[in-house]
Amino acid sequence: MSLSFKMAPYSQIARLSIGVLMGWMASCAYADVAEVQANLNRLKVPEGFKVEIYAEVPGARQMALGTAGTVYVGTRGNKVYAVVDKNKDHKADQVVTILDDLNVGNGVAMFDGNLYVAEQNRIARYAAPDFDLNLPFKDMREVIYDKLPNKAHHGWRYISFGPDKKLYVTVGAPCNICDPQGVEASILRMNPDGSNVETFAKGVRNSVGLDFQPGTGVLHFTDNGMDMMGDDIPHDELNAAPKAGQHFGFPYVGGKDASPKEYQNKKPPQALTPPVVEFQAHSANLGFKFYTGKQFPSQYQGNAFVAQHGSWNRSQPVGYQLMRVVFDQQGKPKSTEVFIDGWLNDGEAWGRPTDVLQLGDGSLLVSDDYSGVIYRISYGEKSASAPAAASTAGSKLSGLKMPESAIAHPDGRVFVTEIGEFGKAGDGKVTVVNRDGSTSTLVDGLNDPKGIDLYNNQLYIADVDQVVRVGLDGSKTVIAQPGDFQQKPIFLNDIEIDGVGNVYVSDSGDDNGKHAAIYQISPKGKVRQIINASAGIKRPNGLLMDGPNKLLVADFGTGKLFQVTFNANANSKAGVTLLNSGFGGADGLVRDSDGLLYVSDWANGKVWQLTEPRATPQLISEGQQSSADIALSADGKFLLVPDMKAGELLSLPIR
């Protein structure tokens, strides 16, 4: 809930092929962002579409979307960046260098709250970047696989997780044309922990883009054809791999039927699978995405958008554009066409599209490693509007039955827990407040639902004496029952989730604090008690992560603010530090994108703002009957304040 060029030695450069050298030079030739902005009017864009600069990121290559909307960007250098749009105006506010010691850190992917980075020689994962971009990621590095060929030619890896929850990794051939050795010229597949590694596809010369077709789940990947065979042969490729073990031609065939002289009389080891689409030779088709959003017109649904990086090995340059691949109702490609071009003018290029990423609102990001920027492509009115909190923004929504807690989804919807009649089992529910202000019930049959949080598109709810996970389809699963806790839960109250999926829940106990506690529920469902009533917090309520293994805790019983520090050793005693006081019936805690802390006072209907936990509180709102568990709106401009006794959800402007 909370939320910165080194030249290779000449001897090394001399060993590279001309293709690798030119690519390396291009990645260092970053344009001034003002020059890129001035060039945007050169782009030929379909009617209704708009291209804007989203962020300035040197050498931007593969992109991955975090759970909180942060975009992670790999490079062919030593860095990985995090791009943050704090105010959700579709322009980056901050570009943070989170890693700077990599060996060609091109490949990035997110899975289960972890960032995966594929270097030339290895793959590592980094926990919880969405939680805190200032974590010591180098120290947290967990190498899951270190047997990738450490060869510079085609050594930039592209990675993605499939619908089978396995990691797919492209491994290029270390040559123009040669016999690959080991796992060279392939796509690997492995478990998220790096185990059970297998060669999923063979004969893949240099793939720097893969995605899985919606509906079918079939892996599709681009592949760049061999050089030095002529201006127009062999074609670049888009391939489909519905099963493991297929061979896609290299080095025997490029495109559907172009064979290099030295391999024309050699028999492949197995039957070859031809590409499903052929592109112009040497156009260098890299990253792509199937479009699943709603922002673009319906005829774009299920299409693929492919970034053509552009040629070097051709008398007249080609590529430097975005292609559209149209698929039929059976999921087969039926046509290709230029979607956006204009990065190449009169034989001179000012940009090189590299990868494509779809944002939650249905717009597309396109990275450009030549100009060092990321573009955002949008359609229609939605291109100019940020995701808003529901239409209650700046006003209030009435008619709720004891609303206790709220959480905003990145798409602008708000989820509110309604207790109903206090103490009555089965009449509690979660209500959805849509962006147009309409409401609907997501799930009912709860008891007295209180704290709510969102993790990996699933809601987690503290419900008296159990913790419930609710899917956005309304499915309901109890992840912690009364008997799972170390002592009988009395009044499970607030809930907070860290970047790796640990769920923290406070138990306020009875009116005198008996059975008060804070619990941690691991992703595997193991419950452990972090503190109990002897820790000195009378009635733990609001929870907020304050760093790794640290929680801010609002004490409903005394109006005090504490920090609880703990570690992975269940037998070690947690540390409890008093930070502040004077918050009455201290309830909810939240931080905004600037790091300001907010505390709600349930008993006195107030909301306070602090520059940091020990700072003097500033009263920013009062007059509510009971300010319950607060949250931040999707655009970061409002506090969502449930007024339990009044049956209202307020939107309090904070910027």
Side-chain angles (χ1 to χ4, degrees), residues 425-491:
D427 70 334
K429 64 180 181 178
V430 175
T431 294
V432 185
V433 185
N434 298 304
R435 292 180 60 181
D436 62 2
S438 62
T439 62
S440 59
T441 298
L442 176 68
V443 64
D444 55 17
L446 300 174
N447 297 322
D448 285 353
K450 298 179 184 68
I452 187 171
D453 204 355
L454 178 70
Y455 180 76
N456 279 353
N457 245 12
Q458 296 187 96
L459 297 166
Y460 290 74
I461 300 159
D463 189 20
V464 186
D465 58 1
Q466 62 182 1
V467 176
V468 180
R469 182 174 62 227
V470 175
L472 299 190
D473 59 356
S475 58
K476 181 171 59 176
T477 305
V478 176
I479 66 167
Q481 303 179 61
D484 296 330
F485 294 85
Q486 280 70 33
Q487 61 186 28
K488 181 182 178 182
I490 302 297
F491 196 87

Side-chain angles (χ1 to χ4, degrees), residues 168-245:
Y168 290 72
V169 185
T170 64
V171 184
C175 59
N176 178 32
I177 303 172
C178 64
D179 287 317
Q181 305 297 314
V183 299
E184 296 169 354
S186 73
I187 296 176
L188 301 180
R189 179 170 69 175
M190 63 186 70
N191 292 333
D193 62 359
S195 63
N196 195 28
V197 180
E198 59 179 318
T199 300
F200 183 81
K202 305 174 184 176
V204 183
R205 178 179 177 271
N206 180 30
S207 175
V208 198
L210 54 85
D211 196 16
F212 298 85
Q213 187 176 40
T216 69
V218 171
L219 170 66
H220 286 64
F221 61 91
T222 55
D223 196 9
N224 294 310
M226 294 168 276
D227 299 319
M228 310 299 183
M229 291 178 63
D231 271 5
D232 296 311
I233 57 172
H235 289 94
D236 279 0
E237 305 172 5
L238 179 67
N239 295 281
K243 61 181 180 180

